[in-house]
Amino acid sequence: MKKILIYNSGGGLGDSIQIIPLILSLKNHFRRSKIFYLGAHPNHFEGKLKEYNINVDTLDLNLKYFGFRWWHLLYVKRNFIKKNETKFDLIIDLQSKLRNSLILKRIPHNHFYSTTFGNFFSTKKIKYQTKEHLENLSVFLDEKIKKINFSNNKLPKNLLNEAKRLLPKSNYIGFSITQGNRYRKKSWSIYKFISLANKSLIKNKIPVFFIEKKQEQIIDKIKNQVPGALFPETNSELSCPALVTALSARLDQAVSIDNGVMHMIGLADIPMIVLFGPTNSEKFAPKNNYIKILDSKKLYGTNDIETIRVDEVYNLI
């Protein structure tokens, strides 16, 4: 395997953070291989996520929103050849849209892994027992690929030192309450989070809220109703997702809705309670050993996340 291409169609930071263990595992297993990244959106590992030091080269085929336009079928191979690229030994398709897979497969390759349409596009027709891409790839390649998780000590020293300055003690419990995707109602009521934080205070746990500095109204509301709550990012000149991960490593545990910050916390591999409503908990929940999930669909048969009660979360804490 000299060249491997990973295709990720998701555009959010969380979509990219989710595949970090996959990239690290492939890098560890195929140590002489060059790994490329192709996305429908910019390569966040070269932008907002650069502090995680996930070094993958971007494959730029000059096709905006790659895979999401049918006309890409006509140009993908031509643009690839124009760049004088040699074909890939392996292409890994991490999404399941028929159109995107059809277009992606036009890129010259030896092996093509995809679970789209019952693995129809894969160069090996294998029935997988799991939805985990890394486990499937081990079967597909007939090689046991060891899973490598992100290690906090790989974060830049200045971020680790800043996290220690901002959260120097112990008994911290983190809360992530705001959603980035405005098209789905994933947020749990701020008043429920306030109630949960105050219950935690009674048990001598210090509430730590991960909220962007620009959300001044929400911050002020919580400050007024949760005495002793901390907002570490507002007290730092540094600002990046990797700082959130560094701060998370200093928590005893965290509670979050399904959002990008949930994935940043998840990389710290700490105990988490994650609340799900309309989104798929099996697909989007962080994959670590210490996570507990409250999914309104499974608990109450509804997409309404507000059906989850404060006491249900507190009992897990």
Side-chain angles (χ1 to χ4, degrees):
M1 292 285 174
K2 293 181 179 180
K3 289 179 64 179
I4 297 172
L5 175 65
I6 296 174
Y7 174 55
N8 182 27
S9 64
L13 293 179
D15 296 297
S16 295
I17 292 172
Q18 266 197 302
I19 68 171
I20 286 179
L22 173 66
I23 294 173
L24 294 177
S25 302
L26 291 172
K27 279 176 168 284
N28 178 69
H29 190 78
F30 300 106
R31 298 191 179 187
R32 296 184 179 180
S33 299
K34 195 167 186 181
I35 297 179
F36 291 79
Y37 178 94
L38 174 63
H41 303 274
N43 182 355
H44 292 306
F45 298 119
E46 295 178 343
K48 293 181 179 180
L49 303 179
K50 64 180 182 296
E51 287 84 3
Y52 289 110
N53 295 314
I54 308 298
N55 299 311
V56 287
D57 294 313
T58 300
L59 176 66
D60 184 5
L61 295 177
N62 197 29
L63 294 171
K64 193 174 181 181
Y65 306 123
F66 180 88
F68 282 85
R69 305 290 184 268
W70 278 109
W71 57 266
H72 288 180
L73 267 171
L74 304 175
Y75 295 95
V76 57
K77 190 172 182 179
R78 186 196 70 175
N79 289 11
F80 182 83
I81 292 170
K82 270 187 178 181
K83 293 180 71 69
N84 295 314
E85 293 280 2
T86 57
K87 69 179 177 179
F88 286 98
D89 294 292
L90 172 65
I91 295 178
I92 300 171
D93 181 8
L94 296 180
Q95 59 83 58
S96 57
K97 288 185 173 62
L98 183 67
R99 174 197 56 224
N100 299 46
S101 296
L102 274 169
I103 294 167
L104 180 65
K105 198 168 184 182
R106 294 278 295 158
I107 297 174
H109 59 272
N110 291 324
H111 300 287
F112 191 88
Y113 163 84
S114 175
T115 58
T116 301
F117 200 58
N119 314 322
F120 178 80
F121 296 97
S122 291
T123 47
K124 285 185 181 179
K125 309 306 179 196
I126 297 171
K127 283 192 175 182
Y128 302 112
Q129 304 298 316
T130 175
K131 293 183 179 179
E132 294 295 321
H133 289 298
L134 191 61
E135 293 180 35
N136 290 345
L137 282 165
S138 290
V139 176
F140 181 81
L141 298 170
D142 197 22
E143 298 183 39
K144 180 60 179 176
I145 304 173
K146 181 183 176 183
K147 184 177 181 181
I148 304 296
N149 287 316
F150 182 80
S151 175
N152 296 317
N153 60 21
K154 300 293 184 183
L155 290 169
K157 286 288 189 289
N158 68 317
L159 296 182
L160 293 172
N161 291 335
E162 182 72 342
K164 189 173 182 179
R165 180 185 74 82
L166 294 168
L167 299 177
K169 300 178 182 179
S170 59
N171 281 348
Y172 296 112
I173 179 168
F175 296 100
S176 173
I177 73 174
T178 55
Q179 68 179 72
N181 185 339
R182 61 180 181 224
Y183 299 107
R184 289 180 173 179
K185 179 66 174 65
K186 301 190 291 184
S187 291
W188 204 46
S189 167
I190 185 174
Y191 299 106
K192 289 185 175 181
F193 271 111
I194 287 171
S195 173
L196 192 62
N198 280 319
K199 283 176 176 284
S200 300
L201 270 171
I202 295 171
K203 293 294 184 181
N204 295 319
K205 292 185 179 293
I206 304 169
V208 177
F209 284 86
F210 295 103
I211 300 176
E212 289 182 292
K213 296 176 185 179
K214 64 183 181 181
Q215 302 276 10
E216 295 176 359
Q217 190 175 358
I218 295 176
I219 292 172
D220 287 341
K221 183 176 290 188
I222 296 171
K223 279 183 177 179
N224 289 332
Q225 297 188 46
V226 186
L230 302 179
F231 303 83
E233 293 166 284
T234 64
N235 298 316
S236 178
E237 293 183 2
L238 301 177
S239 178
C240 64
L243 176 60
V244 174
T245 300
L247 288 165
S248 300
R250 303 193 60 79
L251 304 174
D252 286 350
Q253 58 186 311
V255 181
S256 179
I257 61 169
D258 174 19
N259 59 13
V261 174
M262 171 193 72
H263 294 290
M264 299 170 203
I265 297 172
L267 281 183
D269 205 26
I270 63 168
M272 292 180 70
I273 300 164
V274 186
L275 314 183
F276 281 88
T279 51
N280 186 336
S281 58
E282 294 179 5
K283 181 178 180 180
F284 295 112
K287 304 297 188 292
N288 68 36
N289 297 321
Y290 313 104
I291 190 164
K292 297 175 182 177
I293 295 171
L294 289 173
D295 188 333
S296 64
K297 296 183 294 299
K298 296 180 179 179
L299 290 171
Y300 301 109
T302 174
N303 287 340
D304 186 4
I305 194 172
E306 294 293 357
T307 57
I308 300 173
R309 303 189 307 274
V310 172
D311 285 344
E312 288 178 290
V313 184
Y314 184 66
N315 288 339
L316 292 182
I317 294 174

